Amino acid sequence: MAHINDNFQKLPGSYLFTEIGRRVNAYSAAHPEKSIIRLGIGDVTLPLPKSVIEAMHKAVDEMAVKETFRGYGPEQGYAFLREAIAENDYKARGANIEPDEIFVSDGAKSDCSNIGDIFGIDNKVAVCDPVYPVYVDSNAMAGRAGDYVAELGRWSNLIYMPCTSDNGFVPELPAAKNEMGERIAPDMIYLCYPNNPMGMGITREELKKWVDYAIENESVILYDAAYEAYITEDLPHTIYEVAGAEKCAIEFRSFSKNAGFTGTRCGFAVVPKALKVRNGAGELVSLNGLWSRRQSTKMNGVPYIVQRGAEAVYSEEGKKETKALVDYYLENAGIIRQGLVEAGYTVYGGVNAPYVWLKVPEGMTSWEFFDMLLDKAGVVGTPGSGFGPCGEGYFRLTGFGSRENTVKAIERIKALNA
Ligand code: PLP
């Protein structure tokens, strides 16, 4: 008899964005005359850069001719793309990552989830709180998270690492040993910098502490650098800028937020050859070789046309165009930040990421703030509690909207406090 993976049924029913959609629809139905501005979205709004489009058109034409037609691609991704990534994203930053350590994929969301396939079910997982929900959900579906405890808004087997204004949104290192001296360090540690939802970065010194911790405790850091392109301060663009990271970290990257690939789909994971994890017999095994065997994007994963488009991101023209895209969203985030400060809010983020994380007024929950902002200003954001219990009391606005709507939304928010 076929039976399902019961872990899927443990996922809490209402997903954050479903609930937001429900409330916005109910409000629109009751107030059809009101104009609503959505600053809650994590999706980009500007079109793909011209250089990317031209490269994809050219690749389409190649597919129409017998001599240049391509069928299944290489399972790690085409060498032209992996070489461009290694050169521009790693070697140029002093990080010694080779093309055969890069695995092209259909995006960071898939990679962050699928990576769980090569880790045993009994690995202990640590996540930041608040956090991009995909790390939690994928581990819950795999059976690594235990049971969902609704009253706490937490999973019983996950280690939550609070990220609040008190610690600058960089968590404390988790305890490595208990009183008896036994190892209790997490085995898989998800870190994301610059992060979603808080929009905050991490310094090299802070990141080094995590790398040292992971090496000492035989943990693996799963480092999501999807927002790397948004860094404007002197912060690490990749975890491999930190010595030793190639022995303990996998990095996820994406063309979604720097080059508009959210609908086109392309990203990559870096699995260094030096990264080794123990098998059941206690022997150290290289994950690089194992990741070639992944099911997800093997053979029929990312189309040639899309990989040619991603390659164009690294052309001279592509670099200029993607910088212009990122600058546009960052300027929006700056407008949001500045406007909120003028309106008397405490704000974080928005300097090295497109996300602004504001403190909701004392005495209000983040959902109450959501309802108030929708009702009084017609502005939709994302309640911080949707990203984890420590997100309560915070609210996320994003720079991904149009300039016109961003300015209008901020004017409305400022008018509330006038
Ligand atoms: N990682 C983080 C932190 C994100 O916020 C997002 C999307 O919002 C992703 C990964 C997903 O990236 P992709 O579009 O490449 O799947």
Side-chain angles (χ1 to χ4, degrees):
M1 184 177 62
H3 60 279
I4 60 158
N5 172 354
D6 285 327
N7 295 309
F8 273 61
Q9 287 199 306
K10 293 184 186 172
L11 292 171
S14 175
Y15 181 58
L16 173 63
F17 292 99
T18 314
E19 178 57 18
I20 290 175
R22 194 190 65 73
R23 293 192 191 206
V24 173
N25 289 343
Y27 182 80
S28 296
H31 306 275
E33 74 293 350
K34 291 258 175 95
S35 92
I36 291 174
I37 301 176
R38 290 166 206 271
L39 291 190
I41 48 160
D43 196 0
V44 296
T45 48
L46 293 176
L48 291 169
K50 204 159 153 272
S51 53
V52 169
I53 292 292
E54 279 170 7
M56 291 204 290
H57 278 171
K58 189 161 166 270
V60 170
D61 289 341
E62 285 178 47
M63 295 300 252
V65 178
K66 192 162 172 267
E67 286 70 31
T68 49
F69 168 78
R70 315 264 180 146
Y72 290 127
E75 61 190 37
Q76 253 184 267
Y78 283 97
F80 61 76
L81 178 55
R82 289 184 292 109
E83 280 160 14
I85 293 168
E87 205 47 52
N88 291 279
D89 285 324
Y90 295 100
K91 299 238 158 72
R93 299 202 178 277
N96 195 23
I97 294 295
E98 299 295 334
D100 62 359
E101 299 177 302
I102 294 163
F103 297 76
V104 176
S105 74
D106 63 340
K109 182 172 182 180
S110 308
D111 279 338
C112 293
S113 312
N114 294 332
I115 198 72
D117 291 354
I118 46 173
F119 290 96
I121 289 301
D122 51 357
N123 278 287
K124 200 89 184 143
V125 175
V127 291
C128 290
D129 175 12
V131 72
Y132 172 58
V134 170
Y135 322 137
V136 173
D137 290 358
S138 57
N139 278 290
M141 289 186 265
R144 240 176 251 116
D147 294 312
Y148 186 67
V149 187
E151 310 81 73
L152 302 177
R154 294 187 163 190
W155 291 84
S156 57
N157 282 356
L158 293 185
I159 297 172
Y160 288 87
M161 307 185 291
C163 295
T164 62
S165 53
D166 292 340
N167 57 22
F169 303 97
V170 176
E172 317 299 330
L173 295 171
K177 296 208 164 76
N178 65 13
E179 296 102 58
M180 273 94 75
E182 295 156 339
R183 181 186 182 281
I184 54 163
D187 306 302
M188 297 161 63
I189 303 171
Y190 286 84
L191 292 179
C192 174
Y193 287 101
N195 54 20
N196 173 15
M198 297 88 89
M200 298 293 281
I202 191 167
T203 63
R204 283 183 191 81
E205 295 68 36
E206 284 165 327
L207 196 51
K208 180 161 187 335
K209 286 187 212 156
W210 286 90
V211 168
D212 292 346
Y213 174 95
I215 292 174
E216 195 176 324
N217 295 294
E218 292 199 23
S219 312
V220 175
I221 298 174
L222 302 159
Y223 193 74
D224 186 344
Y227 296 97
E228 161 279 332
Y230 287 80
I231 293 173
T232 60
E233 294 178 319
D234 182 23
L235 302 175
H237 286 252
T238 158
I239 194 168
Y240 305 114
E241 284 181 42
V242 175
E246 68 288 350
K247 293 197 207 108
C248 67
I250 292 173
E251 180 165 288
F252 306 112
R253 290 279 301 270
S254 168
F255 293 100
S256 283
K257 308 299 166 88
N258 63 339
F261 275 61
T262 52
T264 307
R265 309 307 301 149
C266 196
F268 57 92
V270 180
V271 185
K273 282 171 282 192
L275 172 61
K276 298 201 170 127
V277 172
R278 293 195 189 276
N279 66 13
E283 300 150 343
L284 286 170
V285 179
S286 164
L287 293 191
N288 178 275
L290 288 182
W291 196 230
S292 302
R293 311 200 57 182
R294 72 203 185 286
Q295 293 300 323
S296 48
T297 51
K298 195 175 170 186
M299 301 298 277
N300 42 8
V302 185
Y304 172 70
I305 298 160
V306 172
Q307 294 195 48
R308 279 293 186 199
E311 181 197 22
V313 166
Y314 298 101
S315 65
E316 277 318 304
E317 213 39 44
K319 283 180 187 167
K320 277 190 222 144
E321 288 172 325
T322 51
K323 182 171 182 318
L325 283 184
V326 167
D327 285 349
Y328 180 84
Y329 298 131
L330 270 176
E331 279 166 32
N332 282 350
I335 290 168
I336 296 171
R337 259 187 81 92
Q338 179 63 24
L340 289 173
V341 169
E342 285 166 21
Y345 290 98
T346 303
V347 293
Y348 304 95
V351 176
N352 297 297
Y355 299 114
V356 177
W357 191 237
L358 71 99
K359 190 113 190 67
V360 307
E362 207 61 46
M364 248 186 179
T365 67
S366 55
W367 273 112
E368 284 165 356
F369 187 75
F370 172 93
D371 289 333
M372 184 282 289
L373 211 58
L374 177 59
D375 187 35
K376 299 273 188 313
V379 174
V380 180
T382 315
S385 61
F387 299 100
C390 288
E392 184 53 277
Y394 294 92
F395 197 78
R396 192 190 77 174
L397 293 174
T398 83
F400 286 130
S402 69
R403 178 63 42 83
E404 192 193 349
N405 276 348
T406 304
V407 169
K408 212 187 285 173
I410 288 304
E411 275 166 8
R412 290 187 192 173
I413 294 174
K414 278 164 75 175
L416 290 180
N417 292 31

